[in-house]
Amino acid sequence: MRMVDVIIKKRNGLELSEEEIRFFVEGFTSGEIPSYQASSLAMAILFKGMNKKEIGILTDAMLHSGETIDLSSIEGIKVDKHSTGGVGDKTSLVLGPLVAACGVKLAKMSGRGLGHTGGTLDKLESIPGCKIGLSREEFINQVNKYGLAIVGQTGNLVPADKKLYALRDVTGTVESIPLIASSIMSKKLASGSDTILLDVKFGSGAFMKDIDQARLLARTMVDIGDHLHRDTRAILTDMDQPLGLAIGNSLEVIEAINTLNGKGPSDLVELCLGAGAIMLMQAKKTSSIEEGRKLLQEKIDNKEALEKLCDLVRAQGGDESYIRDPSKFEKAKYIIAIKAENEGYVKQINALEIGDSAMRLGAGRATYDDVIDPSSGIVLSKKVGDKVNVGDVLCTVYTNKEDNASILKDIHDSFKLSSDIVKINPIIYEVIK
Ligand code: URA
């Protein structure tokens, strides 16, 4: 078989056979197929697409390009969730302890933040002592003992995706639904859980800017899960404004703790209850969404979920006294209130701009090598739909950067006001299964 013929076939809009797809993935991973041919095929896929069968085979081939994780020594159904990334998304820090408190096992591999989006690993590392690199054995033992672990990727999982994603990034081929779906799902499937819940975000702060694209991505990923016999469901959630109030690593950990103490912002609480109820059904703990929501709420009210977060932090070497007393987290040197200059109703808080500003304050990284300042970020005082009077605090900025005037202006300008009452959109738009 010649790679050039595979490229031409896809360029002409034809369906690739299983042999052709596996030939490409295996050859590219081993280095026999050069990058220029792989990027040419990626571009042909971007323009001509792939059908369900091709996407299923591509995902399976990528999934088996390296190690996979065997979680069979963990008893019970292992659940996983994945967010396509956003601003202020601390859901895993709330949802993990919540479902674990209900007796469900979560063995989760998370990622780091890049650009305007945050990452769970950076948030965990803002808790003094908390480490995210466990050995395979420690990871499995921890899930068996406490019901949850959240770590960085271990081992050589999906090397085909590592190579292909790096290539797509520099060849204008990131925005292809078959390539995104197979990239995300191959990694999720390789990490070994029995069920997957995908939180596909849409809006200004998300990878997918509009709901139709998000729906198509979600549908494609759920179909891949079905094809490979893994219970996969998806929710489409709003990322037009940041999730919750806090953006920035230790600030988000504090918000997660508040949420587990029953004092979370309403959108984050709703997302955690809605997503958690689906995960409990996937784990066969409950038989309806209502039953799941009730159980999850009980675990907040009786503080069992908060105890699970303490277990997670302690087991991963962190100082749990910060969870019990979040006032211990180090504060940024400069704490600045941004006030409204006009009155009205908040129409928009541009999540992309807020995420980008938080990154410039020190909360994120522009490139993989940047070092994060865990105490910096933004805490919103107003959300979309809220009434604002002149002089009201819109948000508070936390930073150690002295030269911050242009960032403060950009944060102020991310808030758009309207003189009319603004309708609030639900956080979970749709469930796909
Ligand atoms: N995230 C991934 O892991 N892969 C993509 O292709 C896009 C986003």
Side-chain angles (χ1 to χ4, degrees), residues 316-366:
Q316 295 189 199
D319 184 346
E320 73 176 284
S321 70
Y322 282 73
I323 310 301
R324 301 199 184 276
D325 177 10
S327 69
K328 285 183 78 172
F329 279 97
E330 198 175 309
K331 303 259 176 334
K333 191 163 161 201
Y334 303 103
I335 301 178
I336 307 151
I338 303 222
K339 296 186 177 168
E341 288 162 9
N342 300 300
E343 69 163 32
Y345 295 89
V346 180
K347 188 171 72 178
Q348 196 199 11
I349 307 171
N350 189 297
L352 175 60
E353 290 170 11
I354 290 281
D356 202 53
S357 299
M359 179 192 77
R360 288 156 64 207
L361 291 169
R365 24 174 112 67

Side-chain angles (χ1 to χ4, degrees), residues 165 168 179-180 183-184 187 207:
Y165 194 78
R168 286 166 56 211
L179 295 179
I180 299 171
S183 161
I184 294 176
K187 285 176 288 197
F207 202 55

Side-chain angles (χ1 to χ4, degrees), residues 67-141:
E67 279 177 53
T68 54
I69 298 198
D70 178 4
L71 297 179
S72 59
S73 55
I74 300 172
E75 260 176 55
I77 297 180
K78 278 74 69 182
V79 298
D80 197 2
K81 64 118 349 213
H82 175 80
S83 153
T84 56
V87 179
D89 187 4
K90 69 284 292 173
T91 314
S92 292
L93 297 178
V94 181
L95 204 44
L98 259 177
V99 296
C102 298
V104 168
K105 303 278 172 46
L106 179 85
K108 181 158 174 52
M109 292 198 178
S110 280
R112 295 202 175 276
L114 186 63
H116 71 281
T117 62
T120 303
L121 298 183
D122 300 318
K123 293 169 204 187
L124 274 178
E125 280 184 335
S126 73
I127 304 165
C130 196
K131 55 184 170 52
I132 47 87
L134 303 186
S135 70
R136 196 66 60 83
E137 199 187 345
E138 287 171 325
F139 179 56
I140 290 190
N141 288 345

